[in-house]
Amino acid sequence: MTNEMIRQIAMQQSAIDSNCAVEDFTRNENVITISKENKDARKYLKLPHVCDLTSYGDNIVATVSEEYKEIVEQYINKYSVAHCFETPNMHVLNDAFQRAGYRVCFMAEYFLPDVRHLQALPCEYEFKVLVQEDFKELYKPEWSNALCEMRKELDVLGVGAYDNGELIGLAACSADCETMWQIGVDVLPAYRRKGIASALTSRLAIEILERGKVPFYCCAWSNVKSARNAIRSGFRPAWIQMTVKPASFVDEMNQ
């Protein structure tokens, strides 16, 4: 795959998730759509959205429930694209939704592989390719970024790093949609800062591409270590998202 093919596939999936056209992400003007359920959306999304903002850099595509369309439309057309995703402007959107029982919840940056830089990075430890059957005994706290116990059926492929037969690092991916698999990675504390995470991530990305799927990587903007790992592994920033959720959902997450 070329970088342009990878980007197009990502935007096609974002269009499914946001109930819009692929070309909407490259327009000069912002776009607003009404959010709807879609069986082909990423599996972990809870559709329809109250409000979800997505940007590939040129504009904002907002997918919303009908009753909040005016609030969101005014917001995204008042501030610049980048500022809509951060404070202090973000407080304007949050305040408007909080009066209706909602809050800004998720803010994330997504990365796609740059095939010009993606390569299997070296590592001193033994690596093994793992499949779903190999994950059965690995749903433990130390591997909770790589694997998701709530959606075991989506964990389809991984690469493990071993020290004398002991698993010390794991990158795995979930088949979140038909065309794209999301990578997560964990390394045991005693083995960090040795290049294991980036070696695992880069090798898993290559394995995914060889299977005809697009690997993607996600982290919070504040997770500097994770973002650095993405860059070292051959990934580059591709799009950003911000999602509004019920206030009760946010409160539960803060417990």
Side-chain angles (χ1 to χ4, degrees):
M1 292 187 192
T2 65
N3 283 344
E4 183 55 32
M5 291 170 62
I6 288 170
R7 187 169 185 267
Q8 281 297 314
I9 289 170
M11 287 196 294
Q12 287 167 5
Q13 185 59 48
S14 291
I16 291 170
D17 300 339
S18 296
N19 190 36
C20 68
V22 175
E23 56 267 24
D24 287 340
F25 294 106
T26 59
R27 297 187 188 279
N28 292 323
E29 69 278 1
N30 295 323
V31 175
I32 189 161
T33 68
I34 303 305
S35 183
K36 295 181 180 179
E37 293 184 17
N38 192 316
K39 64 180 179 59
D40 295 321
R42 280 175 284 162
K43 305 299 184 185
Y44 57 86
L45 296 180
K46 303 296 183 183
L47 299 180
H49 285 300
V50 173
C51 171
D52 181 82
L53 308 183
T54 299
S55 178
Y56 279 78
D58 294 317
N59 69 343
I60 296 174
V61 173
T63 182
V64 302
S65 63
E66 180 74 52
E67 60 188 303
Y68 301 113
K69 180 179 178 180
E70 185 175 352
I71 289 175
V72 178
E73 195 166 28
Q74 290 178 355
Y75 176 73
I76 63 175
N77 290 328
K78 182 176 182 180
Y79 305 109
S80 68
V81 172
H83 289 168
C84 281
F85 290 85
E86 63 177 9
T87 58
N89 298 153
M90 187 194 73
H91 289 303
V92 173
L93 185 68
N94 189 71
D95 290 349
F97 272 107
Q98 193 155 344
R99 289 191 286 271
Y102 298 93
R103 293 178 187 164
V104 173
C105 183
F106 297 121
M107 300 170 65
E109 184 171 18
Y110 290 81
F111 299 77
L112 292 172
D114 183 338
V115 295
R116 298 167 300 180
H117 299 282
L118 180 65
Q119 59 181 315
L121 297 176
C123 184
E124 62 182 289
Y125 297 99
E126 178 190 5
F127 277 31
K128 294 180 183 178
V129 175
L130 307 175
V131 295
Q132 196 169 56
E133 182 72 17
D134 301 315
F135 298 146
K136 286 185 177 180
E137 305 302 321
L138 299 180
Y139 288 94
K140 302 175 181 179
E142 57 264 40
W143 312 121
S144 60
N145 288 311
L147 300 171
C148 180
E149 190 166 14
M150 292 177 59
R151 296 186 294 270
K152 291 181 179 180
E153 71 281 2
L154 300 181
D155 294 331
V156 292
L157 186 68
V159 177
Y162 295 83
D163 185 8
N164 292 319
E166 177 191 359
L167 183 65
I168 60 167
L170 174 65
C173 60
S174 56
D176 291 335
C177 54
E178 178 61 30
T179 58
M180 302 179 69
W181 292 358
Q182 181 173 192
I183 294 176
V185 62
D186 290 291
V187 176
L188 296 182
Y191 291 88
R192 292 172 186 169
R193 296 186 178 274
K194 296 184 177 182
I196 298 172
S198 55
L200 287 169
T201 303
S202 62
R203 295 185 192 203
L204 180 56
I206 292 169
E207 293 286 340
I208 294 170
L209 285 168
E210 288 178 349
R211 287 160 175 77
K213 307 295 183 179
V214 170
F216 72 105
Y217 188 105
C218 172
C219 71
W221 288 7
S222 56
N223 194 340
V224 175
K225 291 193 296 184
S226 188
R228 284 177 176 168
N229 178 59
I231 298 297
R232 283 196 301 266
S233 303
F235 284 73
R236 298 294 182 265
W239 80 95
I240 53 176
Q241 277 184 260
M242 185 168 74
T243 308
V244 172
K245 289 286 188 180
S248 57
F249 179 88
V250 178
D251 290 339
E252 185 177 344
M253 291 195 70
N254 285 330
Q255 296 299 317

